[in-house]
Amino acid sequence: MTADRRRPLAVFDLDNTLADTAHRQRFLEGSPRDWEGFFGAAPQDPPLAEGVALALECAEECEVVYLTGRPERCRRDTLDWLAAHRLPEGRLFMRRDDDRRPARRTKLEILKRLARDRDIRVLVDDDELVCDDAERAGFRVVRARWTSPSAALEAAQEGEGRT
């Protein structure tokens, strides 16, 4: 797959945007959090119809790329999940395994890097802080509000830099 640099980018988050993580929230509710269990259960995530439909619609005019806070060690499972659910092919940007910065920082850094030589049509994400910072930086945002918010996942994204 070669990228057509003339096409704008549509950037999609994964967890609670395209993939329903409700079945694995239990791994984040205890102390200490069970990160191996949480990420190990990701291949069983059901797709979220609203997010998948939007990704397919965006793929008609845009190059779809995926921007997740999942650690790099989850790349194979994530690529397999995207293919199994017939999501558009696209580059996958993941957090380094040792990167514990908040999602709003890591994702905005990558968005700005992508925007240096490509038009970003939209970012689709469920994390309100990521969305707020992206909007402040001038990006168009669609807030993925088609799942129930998870306090445990929010704490993991922002407080622990884990997803």
Side-chain angles (χ1 to χ4, degrees):
M1 176 185 66
T2 58
D4 178 353
R5 291 188 147 321
R6 296 169 299 212
R7 293 181 81 200
L9 300 178
V11 181
F12 281 80
D13 172 48
L14 293 174
D15 293 337
N16 288 335
T17 298
L18 296 173
D20 186 350
T21 66
H23 72 101
R24 54 188 171 111
Q25 295 303 310
R26 62 190 167 89
F27 293 108
L28 300 181
E29 293 166 359
S31 181
R33 299 183 201 280
D34 179 0
W35 291 108
E36 292 306 313
F38 180 76
F39 291 119
Q44 286 76 51
D45 289 354
L48 291 165
E50 297 90 337
V52 171
L54 186 55
L56 293 171
E57 179 184 324
C58 285
E60 293 175 13
E61 295 184 10
C62 299
E63 176 189 342
V64 173
V65 298
Y66 302 98
L67 175 57
T68 181
R70 291 180 185 184
E72 185 64 41
R73 70 181 179 274
C74 298
R75 180 171 291 275
R76 181 76 267 147
D77 284 345
T78 302
L79 289 170
D80 290 346
W81 186 91
L82 290 166
H85 295 288
R86 295 183 169 89
L87 280 134
E89 285 188 27
R91 291 177 287 165
L92 173 61
F93 295 89
M94 304 184 83
R95 179 190 299 273
R96 287 187 332 267
D97 287 334
D98 62 347
D99 188 346
R100 299 287 187 263
R101 294 175 296 155
R104 67 183 186 275
R105 287 193 48 219
T106 60
K107 288 184 175 184
L108 193 60
E109 180 180 289
I110 292 169
L111 280 172
K112 287 179 177 179
R113 190 171 72 230
L114 289 170
R116 285 187 209 140
D117 63 353
R118 295 291 290 279
D119 174 45
I120 296 179
R121 172 89 40 98
V122 66
L123 165 69
V124 183
D125 202 303
D126 70 306
D127 185 322
E128 293 293 331
L129 295 174
V130 168
C131 292
D132 290 345
D133 284 0
E135 284 180 334
R136 276 193 289 277
F139 295 102
R140 179 175 171 260
V141 170
V142 171
R143 293 170 189 261
R145 292 182 172 150
W146 37 81
T147 61
S148 299
S150 163
L153 185 59
E154 183 178 330
Q157 290 172 321
E158 298 308 321
E160 297 178 34
R162 291 286 191 142
T163 184

